[in-house]
Amino acid sequence: MRITDLMMTNSFLHNLTSTKSKVNGLQTEIALGTTIQKPSDNPNGTVNILGWNNQISQANIIMGNIDSGNAFINDTTSSMQNIQDTITNVLSKLTQVQNAANDQNLSNFADQVDSSISAILDSANAKSDGKYIFAGTDFSNAPYGYTADGSAVEVKDNNISGVQNIRISPTVSQQINLTGVDVFGTIVKGGGNIDPSTAVGATVTGQTTVYDAKGNQYTFKTNYTKTAADTYNFTYDIVDSSNVSVLSSPPAAQSMVFDGTTGSLQSIDGKAPSSIQINVPSKNINFSFNPLSISEKSGSTSLSYSANQKTDIFNTLINIRDNLKAGIKPTTDQMQAITDFNNRLLNNLTKAGNITNRLTNAKNLLNNKTLQLQDLVAKTDGVDVAKAAVDLQSQDNLLQMSYQIASKVLTQSLLNYL
Amino acid sequence: MGLSNIFDIATRSLSVYQAALDVTAQNISNASNPDYSRQRVIFGTETPQQLGGFIWGTGVKLEDINRIHNALTDQQLRDNNSKYSSNNESSVLLDQVQSVLNEPSDQGISSLTTAFFNAWQQLSVTPNSVSLRQNVIQAAQNLSQQIQTVKQGFDTIQTSLKSSISTDVSTINNDLKQIQSLNAQIFNLQSTGQTPNDLLDQRDKAINDLSSMVNINVSYDSQNVANISIGGVFAVDKVTATQFKTTLQDGKILVSTQDGAANVNLTGGQLYGDTNVYNNKIPSYQSSIDSFVNNLMQSVNDAHSSGYTLDNPPQTGINFFSGYSNGALKINDQILNDPNKIAISSDGTAGNGDIALSIAGLSTQKQADGSTLLDKYSSFISQIGTDAKGASNTADSYNLVVQQLQQQQASYSGVSVDEEMTNVIQYQKSYSASAKLITVADQMFQTLINMVS
């Protein structure tokens, strides 16, 4: 093969450009610390890097959310512990009241119960990061307060059953609050079945006893009028012992839709089903009606209702206070109601502890996942600086050698020897 | 035979070797000219004379000056050069596209989309926080701005390409005029029996330049006239040089003859790289981004419009994004003016962030085809990466072939200074010997003259 001067020049330039290109690439990698500067450097790697970085970013946000959730549940726990301390103190005082030696001091005990009511009320209206802890999802007003005449404590037009959820993983949510209903409220829980073969226009009924703050009995009547397949209009009424309604006006019908396949309650008025708060301020009646366990299943219709307590802690204590002032000692039922509330509080503290554990575990999982993802990113996109430095040195040596050879060879021709 | 015959032979020899040295000088002076084909002197013996029953030689003559040239290598070089140019141009342009997208980085659409969903995630924990609502708006604005920046970047590349394509076509038109002119000159000179080596070199260079611009088909007729077609359309011969123009049709740039009678079917060269990126690649990439943004907007709006605002009374049915067109993703003005209009409560209470959770969940929610919004965007980025890498690798590959062919061409047609210097020595010696022969003949004449006087 003829070797011409142009060939040697072209060959030298080509090799020199190739070596310089490698040197430039290595220098860029070392300077930036990444092997992927643009998608074409590694298309598959780029897709992975984008995905992993997004997951890391998302995990960091979720971990921040978990921290917020933890702070909220810690404040919730703290409030409930304060209430429990107060309740324990009240129970101790009321036990002392049973002693005949204290019969002369019932008024003092009434004052102490009154002060306990205020302490519990304060805790029930406590805030965390500007949010009322037991107000569900309605932070507009303090959830609990005295009625206008000061005779009872009532829920202040809040939806205290609202659930606050946060995401603890990209796909899993966790409730971080204990609602006012969970902690203080009287919950009438509905259960049983409605026969799906009920004719459209027909009404299925159910009823149970509810109580006002003073222990007076009322009847809570429920009606489910079928309007279409799997759809019922829900209405209710509360009547006294004379079967006279205590509601100032009939409540609006709420449309309940059941799942045609599973029979479970699917929605109430087009929204996810939740407890219905029922307040009759004039009678000091307030409770939550939870219909979530009612289902539409084949078979004869049978509805059942049960309540977690007759009345709430505030009004039980108010009743005890007022009786003490009148020289009447608390009844066994009232003492039992306070003990029941205390037990319920303990259950809620356990729930709060479980939520805290769940959040802590979720954060640990996310931490581990983040570390693994960061490791993957480093392996895919990270530069092995030592290797890159050695490669750079090697390429630099080649470059120097090329220059040397060029200076020796390219300048030579027959002319040098003529 | 007389003594004068020696003078004739020597004189002719001097003339031939001087010419040979001229050719060598031309070769040496063009040693570094990549477009030059070396020339070789073809020597021949002069027609002998018959005298006295013998045939007497009459010396050397210059038969021809050959241009050393390999037509097959030239054709391969043009074909591969055309493919190299188109892929190299595509590679350069797709690198620009990648720069516009700014992936993978914190400022790319992927990261900003995640930041947007993360802002909703944060808001879901404290739904009534105005500052977190502002964060959502800010994250949406950042994302919207980057989407618009990408669109503007693509527009800028297309504007630049439009001008570049126009310049490419002007260059092609000039090359064609030059080739037509050279064809005519070569035809005229060859008709008179001359060998226009340097003009052939000039024409080869013009054809090579043309092949790097566009896919061409070259054929030579018996008069060595180059007939060239571009993308199936006649381009040039010795009489006519077709002139081409660009036209914009349905957003695509077409190259056609000036009269518009025929469109060029581009498959190679820089012009193909430019038009392919302008007509196909960028519109396809923009379409993918548009699809991603429309999906994002629709999904967010679907969830958002079912939520309730923080107003008193709470409002519902409000879209978060008011629209997307021409690269501009617009946030609802009501929300921009009042963050409380962000509707993330599913029941109208201020502490309910269910809708924010739903919107945050869109980042991982699989769609009908089993992929998430960001999966689709990542696939799109991967596609660009693969296109750019493919173009770059193909360009590198053709570059190697072109390099090898250029080396072959240089080996065959290039000038070797060593070889030429050897020829110089050889021709110089022959020239000196011829001169010496004249001296000897002269001395022989002197001897004869001295005998007479």
Side-chain angles (χ1 to χ4, degrees), chain A residues 277-303:
Chain A
Q277 189 68 30
I278 295 172
N279 274 316
V280 188
S282 61
K283 296 291 179 187
N284 292 335
I285 295 171
N286 68 64
F287 63 92
S288 289
F289 174 56
N290 177 354
L292 297 180
S293 298
I294 296 174
S295 56
E296 188 190 44
K297 280 184 184 168
S298 296
S300 58
T301 296
S302 67
L303 293 172

PDB file of all heavy atoms in Angstrom, chain A residues 277-303:
ATOM      1  N   GLN A 277     -73.276  13.381  61.936  1.00  0.00           N
ATOM      2  CA  GLN A 277     -73.355  14.027  63.250  1.00  0.00           C
ATOM      3  C   GLN A 277     -74.786  14.506  63.493  1.00  0.00           C
ATOM      4  O   GLN A 277     -75.364  15.201  62.651  1.00  0.00           O
ATOM      5  CB  GLN A 277     -72.375  15.209  63.300  1.00  0.00           C
ATOM      6  CG  GLN A 277     -72.199  15.830  64.655  1.00  0.00           C
ATOM      7  CD  GLN A 277     -71.501  14.891  65.636  1.00  0.00           C
ATOM      8  OE1 GLN A 277     -70.686  14.064  65.240  1.00  0.00           O
ATOM      9  NE2 GLN A 277     -71.837  14.986  66.916  1.00  0.00           N
ATOM     10  N   ILE A 278     -75.337  14.117  64.623  1.00  0.00           N
ATOM     11  CA  ILE A 278     -76.722  14.506  64.930  1.00  0.00           C
ATOM     12  C   ILE A 278     -76.734  15.327  66.225  1.00  0.00           C
ATOM     13  O   ILE A 278     -76.288  14.838  67.277  1.00  0.00           O
ATOM     14  CB  ILE A 278     -77.618  13.258  65.049  1.00  0.00           C
ATOM     15  CG1 ILE A 278     -77.676  12.565  63.667  1.00  0.00           C
ATOM     16  CG2 ILE A 278     -79.017  13.639  65.533  1.00  0.00           C
ATOM     17  CD1 ILE A 278     -78.360  11.226  63.672  1.00  0.00           C
ATOM     18  N   ASN A 279     -77.176  16.583  66.107  1.00  0.00           N
ATOM     19  CA  ASN A 279     -77.194  17.509  67.243  1.00  0.00           C
ATOM     20  C   ASN A 279     -78.619  18.026  67.478  1.00  0.00           C
ATOM     21  O   ASN A 279     -79.286  18.458  66.531  1.00  0.00           O
ATOM     22  CB  ASN A 279     -76.319  18.739  66.950  1.00  0.00           C
ATOM     23  CG  ASN A 279     -74.867  18.489  67.305  1.00  0.00           C
ATOM     24  OD1 ASN A 279     -74.583  17.931  68.361  1.00  0.00           O
ATOM     25  ND2 ASN A 279     -73.975  18.908  66.434  1.00  0.00           N
ATOM     26  N   VAL A 280     -79.045  17.970  68.705  1.00  0.00           N
ATOM     27  CA  VAL A 280     -80.309  18.659  69.057  1.00  0.00           C
ATOM     28  C   VAL A 280     -79.976  19.542  70.263  1.00  0.00           C
ATOM     29  O   VAL A 280     -80.145  19.139  71.424  1.00  0.00           O
ATOM     30  CB  VAL A 280     -81.431  17.658  69.420  1.00  0.00           C
ATOM     31  CG1 VAL A 280     -82.755  18.410  69.574  1.00  0.00           C
ATOM     32  CG2 VAL A 280     -81.558  16.578  68.369  1.00  0.00           C
ATOM     33  N   PRO A 281     -79.450  20.743  70.014  1.00  0.00           N
ATOM     34  CA  PRO A 281     -78.949  21.587  71.108  1.00  0.00           C
ATOM     35  C   PRO A 281     -80.013  21.852  72.176  1.00  0.00           C
ATOM     36  O   PRO A 281     -79.692  21.878  73.366  1.00  0.00           O
ATOM     37  CB  PRO A 281     -78.554  22.878  70.392  1.00  0.00           C
ATOM     38  CG  PRO A 281     -78.328  22.472  68.977  1.00  0.00           C
ATOM     39  CD  PRO A 281     -79.256  21.352  68.706  1.00  0.00           C
ATOM     40  N   SER A 282     -81.266  21.992  71.750  1.00  0.00           N
ATOM     41  CA  SER A 282     -82.313  22.325  72.729  1.00  0.00           C
ATOM     42  C   SER A 282     -82.517  21.216  73.759  1.00  0.00           C
ATOM     43  O   SER A 282     -82.986  21.467  74.864  1.00  0.00           O
ATOM     44  CB  SER A 282     -83.621  22.618  71.998  1.00  0.00           C
ATOM     45  OG  SER A 282     -84.002  21.457  71.276  1.00  0.00           O
ATOM     46  N   LYS A 283     -82.158  20.006  73.397  1.00  0.00           N
ATOM     47  CA  LYS A 283     -82.333  18.867  74.306  1.00  0.00           C
ATOM     48  C   LYS A 283     -80.997  18.309  74.799  1.00  0.00           C
ATOM     49  O   LYS A 283     -80.954  17.247  75.427  1.00  0.00           O
ATOM     50  CB  LYS A 283     -83.113  17.744  73.602  1.00  0.00           C
ATOM     51  CG  LYS A 283     -84.531  18.127  73.215  1.00  0.00           C
ATOM     52  CD  LYS A 283     -85.403  18.299  74.465  1.00  0.00           C
ATOM     53  CE  LYS A 283     -86.817  18.696  74.089  1.00  0.00           C
ATOM     54  NZ  LYS A 283     -87.627  19.039  75.283  1.00  0.00           N
ATOM     55  N   ASN A 284     -79.885  19.010  74.459  1.00  0.00           N
ATOM     56  CA  ASN A 284     -78.552  18.520  74.835  1.00  0.00           C
ATOM     57  C   ASN A 284     -78.317  17.081  74.353  1.00  0.00           C
ATOM     58  O   ASN A 284     -77.757  16.260  75.057  1.00  0.00           O
ATOM     59  CB  ASN A 284     -78.339  18.581  76.347  1.00  0.00           C
ATOM     60  CG  ASN A 284     -78.284  20.010  76.829  1.00  0.00           C
ATOM     61  OD1 ASN A 284     -77.949  20.917  76.054  1.00  0.00           O
ATOM     62  ND2 ASN A 284     -78.629  20.229  78.091  1.00  0.00           N
ATOM     63  N   ILE A 285     -78.808  16.835  73.140  1.00  0.00           N
ATOM     64  CA  ILE A 285     -78.562  15.515  72.544  1.00  0.00           C
ATOM     65  C   ILE A 285     -77.513  15.707  71.451  1.00  0.00           C
ATOM     66  O   ILE A 285     -77.664  16.576  70.583  1.00  0.00           O
ATOM     67  CB  ILE A 285     -79.859  14.946  71.912  1.00  0.00           C
ATOM     68  CG1 ILE A 285     -80.896  14.691  72.990  1.00  0.00           C
ATOM     69  CG2 ILE A 285     -79.562  13.665  71.128  1.00  0.00           C
ATOM     70  CD1 ILE A 285     -82.266  14.329  72.435  1.00  0.00           C
ATOM     71  N   ASN A 286     -76.441  14.964  71.538  1.00  0.00           N
ATOM     72  CA  ASN A 286     -75.536  14.929  70.389  1.00  0.00           C
ATOM     73  C   ASN A 286     -74.844  13.578  70.323  1.00  0.00           C
ATOM     74  O   ASN A 286     -74.373  13.065  71.329  1.00  0.00           O
ATOM     75  CB  ASN A 286     -74.548  16.100  70.370  1.00  0.00           C
ATOM     76  CG  ASN A 286     -73.540  16.064  71.469  1.00  0.00           C
ATOM     77  OD1 ASN A 286     -72.734  15.160  71.521  1.00  0.00           O
ATOM     78  ND2 ASN A 286     -73.594  17.045  72.369  1.00  0.00           N
ATOM     79  N   PHE A 287     -74.898  13.029  69.169  1.00  0.00           N
ATOM     80  CA  PHE A 287     -74.238  11.741  68.934  1.00  0.00           C
ATOM     81  C   PHE A 287     -73.935  11.611  67.442  1.00  0.00           C
ATOM     82  O   PHE A 287     -74.433  12.385  66.613  1.00  0.00           O
ATOM     83  CB  PHE A 287     -75.103  10.573  69.416  1.00  0.00           C
ATOM     84  CG  PHE A 287     -76.420  10.415  68.704  1.00  0.00           C
ATOM     85  CD1 PHE A 287     -76.537   9.590  67.590  1.00  0.00           C
ATOM     86  CD2 PHE A 287     -77.558  11.098  69.150  1.00  0.00           C
ATOM     87  CE1 PHE A 287     -77.755   9.446  66.946  1.00  0.00           C
ATOM     88  CE2 PHE A 287     -78.770  10.941  68.501  1.00  0.00           C
ATOM     89  CZ  PHE A 287     -78.879  10.118  67.391  1.00  0.00           C
ATOM     90  N   SER A 288     -73.110  10.634  67.154  1.00  0.00           N
ATOM     91  CA  SER A 288     -72.787  10.353  65.746  1.00  0.00           C
ATOM     92  C   SER A 288     -73.464   9.055  65.347  1.00  0.00           C
ATOM     93  O   SER A 288     -73.412   8.073  66.093  1.00  0.00           O
ATOM     94  CB  SER A 288     -71.283  10.172  65.572  1.00  0.00           C
ATOM     95  OG  SER A 288     -70.640  11.386  65.710  1.00  0.00           O
ATOM     96  N   PHE A 289     -74.073   9.088  64.196  1.00  0.00           N
ATOM     97  CA  PHE A 289     -74.660   7.857  63.674  1.00  0.00           C
ATOM     98  C   PHE A 289     -73.724   7.303  62.603  1.00  0.00           C
ATOM     99  O   PHE A 289     -73.423   7.952  61.594  1.00  0.00           O
ATOM    100  CB  PHE A 289     -76.047   8.138  63.080  1.00  0.00           C
ATOM    101  CG  PHE A 289     -76.633   6.932  62.391  1.00  0.00           C
ATOM    102  CD1 PHE A 289     -76.781   5.714  63.080  1.00  0.00           C
ATOM    103  CD2 PHE A 289     -77.051   6.987  61.070  1.00  0.00           C
ATOM    104  CE1 PHE A 289     -77.311   4.601  62.444  1.00  0.00           C
ATOM    105  CE2 PHE A 289     -77.581   5.866  60.437  1.00  0.00           C
ATOM    106  CZ  PHE A 289     -77.709   4.667  61.131  1.00  0.00           C
ATOM    107  N   ASN A 290     -73.230   6.108  62.879  1.00  0.00           N
ATOM    108  CA  ASN A 290     -72.280   5.470  61.949  1.00  0.00           C
ATOM    109  C   ASN A 290     -72.983   4.336  61.203  1.00  0.00           C
ATOM    110  O   ASN A 290     -73.195   3.259  61.756  1.00  0.00           O
ATOM    111  CB  ASN A 290     -71.087   4.936  62.749  1.00  0.00           C
ATOM    112  CG  ASN A 290     -70.091   4.206  61.863  1.00  0.00           C
ATOM    113  OD1 ASN A 290     -70.332   4.005  60.684  1.00  0.00           O
ATOM    114  ND2 ASN A 290     -68.962   3.803  62.446  1.00  0.00           N
ATOM    115  N   PRO A 291     -73.341   4.560  59.914  1.00  0.00           N
ATOM    116  CA  PRO A 291     -74.084   3.535  59.163  1.00  0.00           C
ATOM    117  C   PRO A 291     -73.186   2.607  58.342  1.00  0.00           C
ATOM    118  O   PRO A 291     -73.669   1.846  57.514  1.00  0.00           O
ATOM    119  CB  PRO A 291     -74.945   4.395  58.232  1.00  0.00           C
ATOM    120  CG  PRO A 291     -74.082   5.571  57.935  1.00  0.00           C
ATOM    121  CD  PRO A 291     -73.179   5.787  59.111  1.00  0.00           C
ATOM    122  N   LEU A 292     -71.876   2.705  58.556  1.00  0.00           N
ATOM    123  CA  LEU A 292     -70.951   2.022  57.635  1.00  0.00           C
ATOM    124  C   LEU A 292     -71.114   0.506  57.624  1.00  0.00           C
ATOM    125  O   LEU A 292     -70.750  -0.146  56.645  1.00  0.00           O
ATOM    126  CB  LEU A 292     -69.496   2.372  57.994  1.00  0.00           C
ATOM    127  CG  LEU A 292     -69.141   3.855  57.846  1.00  0.00           C
ATOM    128  CD1 LEU A 292     -67.699   4.104  58.224  1.00  0.00           C
ATOM    129  CD2 LEU A 292     -69.371   4.317  56.417  1.00  0.00           C
ATOM    130  N   SER A 293     -71.630  -0.040  58.736  1.00  0.00           N
ATOM    131  CA  SER A 293     -71.741  -1.506  58.781  1.00  0.00           C
ATOM    132  C   SER A 293     -73.067  -2.010  58.234  1.00  0.00           C
ATOM    133  O   SER A 293     -73.303  -3.221  58.195  1.00  0.00           O
ATOM    134  CB  SER A 293     -71.565  -2.008  60.220  1.00  0.00           C
ATOM    135  OG  SER A 293     -70.288  -1.675  60.684  1.00  0.00           O
ATOM    136  N   ILE A 294     -73.936  -1.092  57.845  1.00  0.00           N
ATOM    137  CA  ILE A 294     -75.202  -1.534  57.253  1.00  0.00           C
ATOM    138  C   ILE A 294     -74.927  -1.948  55.816  1.00  0.00           C
ATOM    139  O   ILE A 294     -74.214  -1.256  55.081  1.00  0.00           O
ATOM    140  CB  ILE A 294     -76.248  -0.398  57.279  1.00  0.00           C
ATOM    141  CG1 ILE A 294     -76.571  -0.042  58.721  1.00  0.00           C
ATOM    142  CG2 ILE A 294     -77.508  -0.786  56.517  1.00  0.00           C
ATOM    143  CD1 ILE A 294     -77.479   1.158  58.876  1.00  0.00           C
ATOM    144  N   SER A 295     -75.462  -3.072  55.414  1.00  0.00           N
ATOM    145  CA  SER A 295     -75.230  -3.507  54.047  1.00  0.00           C
ATOM    146  C   SER A 295     -76.532  -3.975  53.420  1.00  0.00           C
ATOM    147  O   SER A 295     -77.533  -4.190  54.114  1.00  0.00           O
ATOM    148  CB  SER A 295     -74.177  -4.609  54.009  1.00  0.00           C
ATOM    149  OG  SER A 295     -74.574  -5.668  54.847  1.00  0.00           O
ATOM    150  N   GLU A 296     -76.470  -4.104  52.105  1.00  0.00           N
ATOM    151  CA  GLU A 296     -77.639  -4.584  51.374  1.00  0.00           C
ATOM    152  C   GLU A 296     -77.346  -6.020  50.953  1.00  0.00           C
ATOM    153  O   GLU A 296     -76.480  -6.266  50.104  1.00  0.00           O
ATOM    154  CB  GLU A 296     -77.862  -3.698  50.135  1.00  0.00           C
ATOM    155  CG  GLU A 296     -79.158  -3.993  49.431  1.00  0.00           C
ATOM    156  CD  GLU A 296     -79.236  -3.282  48.090  1.00  0.00           C
ATOM    157  OE1 GLU A 296     -78.234  -3.291  47.354  1.00  0.00           O
ATOM    158  OE2 GLU A 296     -80.277  -2.729  47.783  1.00  0.00           O
ATOM    159  N   LYS A 297     -78.033  -6.955  51.622  1.00  0.00           N
ATOM    160  CA  LYS A 297     -77.771  -8.368  51.344  1.00  0.00           C
ATOM    161  C   LYS A 297     -79.067  -9.136  51.255  1.00  0.00           C
ATOM    162  O   LYS A 297     -80.067  -8.780  51.907  1.00  0.00           O
ATOM    163  CB  LYS A 297     -76.908  -8.974  52.461  1.00  0.00           C
ATOM    164  CG  LYS A 297     -75.432  -8.663  52.322  1.00  0.00           C
ATOM    165  CD  LYS A 297     -74.628  -9.370  53.386  1.00  0.00           C
ATOM    166  CE  LYS A 297     -73.162  -8.968  53.284  1.00  0.00           C
ATOM    167  NZ  LYS A 297     -72.414  -9.398  54.449  1.00  0.00           N
ATOM    168  N   SER A 298     -79.025 -10.206  50.469  1.00  0.00           N
ATOM    169  CA  SER A 298     -80.224 -11.029  50.312  1.00  0.00           C
ATOM    170  C   SER A 298     -80.640 -11.628  51.639  1.00  0.00           C
ATOM    171  O   SER A 298     -79.799 -11.961  52.482  1.00  0.00           O
ATOM    172  CB  SER A 298     -79.949 -12.156  49.319  1.00  0.00           C
ATOM    173  OG  SER A 298     -79.696 -11.603  48.056  1.00  0.00           O
ATOM    174  N   GLY A 299     -81.924 -11.776  51.818  1.00  0.00           N
ATOM    175  CA  GLY A 299     -82.450 -12.289  53.081  1.00  0.00           C
ATOM    176  C   GLY A 299     -83.371 -11.260  53.682  1.00  0.00           C
ATOM    177  O   GLY A 299     -83.507 -10.146  53.158  1.00  0.00           O
ATOM    178  N   SER A 300     -83.991 -11.621  54.771  1.00  0.00           N
ATOM    179  CA  SER A 300     -84.943 -10.686  55.360  1.00  0.00           C
ATOM    180  C   SER A 300     -84.215  -9.484  55.956  1.00  0.00           C
ATOM    181  O   SER A 300     -83.095  -9.600  56.451  1.00  0.00           O
ATOM    182  CB  SER A 300     -85.760 -11.376  56.450  1.00  0.00           C
ATOM    183  OG  SER A 300     -84.886 -11.889  57.418  1.00  0.00           O
ATOM    184  N   THR A 301     -84.867  -8.326  55.874  1.00  0.00           N
ATOM    185  CA  THR A 301     -84.266  -7.100  56.385  1.00  0.00           C
ATOM    186  C   THR A 301     -84.192  -7.156  57.903  1.00  0.00           C
ATOM    187  O   THR A 301     -85.162  -7.526  58.576  1.00  0.00           O
ATOM    188  CB  THR A 301     -85.111  -5.892  55.961  1.00  0.00           C
ATOM    189  OG1 THR A 301     -85.064  -5.807  54.542  1.00  0.00           O
ATOM    190  CG2 THR A 301     -84.579  -4.618  56.576  1.00  0.00           C
ATOM    191  N   SER A 302     -83.035  -6.858  58.441  1.00  0.00           N
ATOM    192  CA  SER A 302     -82.912  -6.778  59.903  1.00  0.00           C
ATOM    193  C   SER A 302     -81.847  -5.746  60.225  1.00  0.00           C
ATOM    194  O   SER A 302     -80.678  -5.922  59.863  1.00  0.00           O
ATOM    195  CB  SER A 302     -82.528  -8.144  60.482  1.00  0.00           C
ATOM    196  OG  SER A 302     -81.245  -8.506  60.076  1.00  0.00           O
ATOM    197  N   LEU A 303     -82.262  -4.652  60.817  1.00  0.00           N
ATOM    198  CA  LEU A 303     -81.308  -3.600  61.180  1.00  0.00           C
ATOM    199  C   LEU A 303     -81.092  -3.627  62.685  1.00  0.00           C
ATOM    200  O   LEU A 303     -82.028  -3.886  63.455  1.00  0.00           O
ATOM    201  CB  LEU A 303     -81.854  -2.233  60.760  1.00  0.00           C
ATOM    202  CG  LEU A 303     -81.960  -2.012  59.240  1.00  0.00           C
ATOM    203  CD1 LEU A 303     -82.690  -0.700  58.951  1.00  0.00           C
ATOM    204  CD2 LEU A 303     -80.576  -1.988  58.611  1.00  0.00           C
TER     205      LEU A 303
END
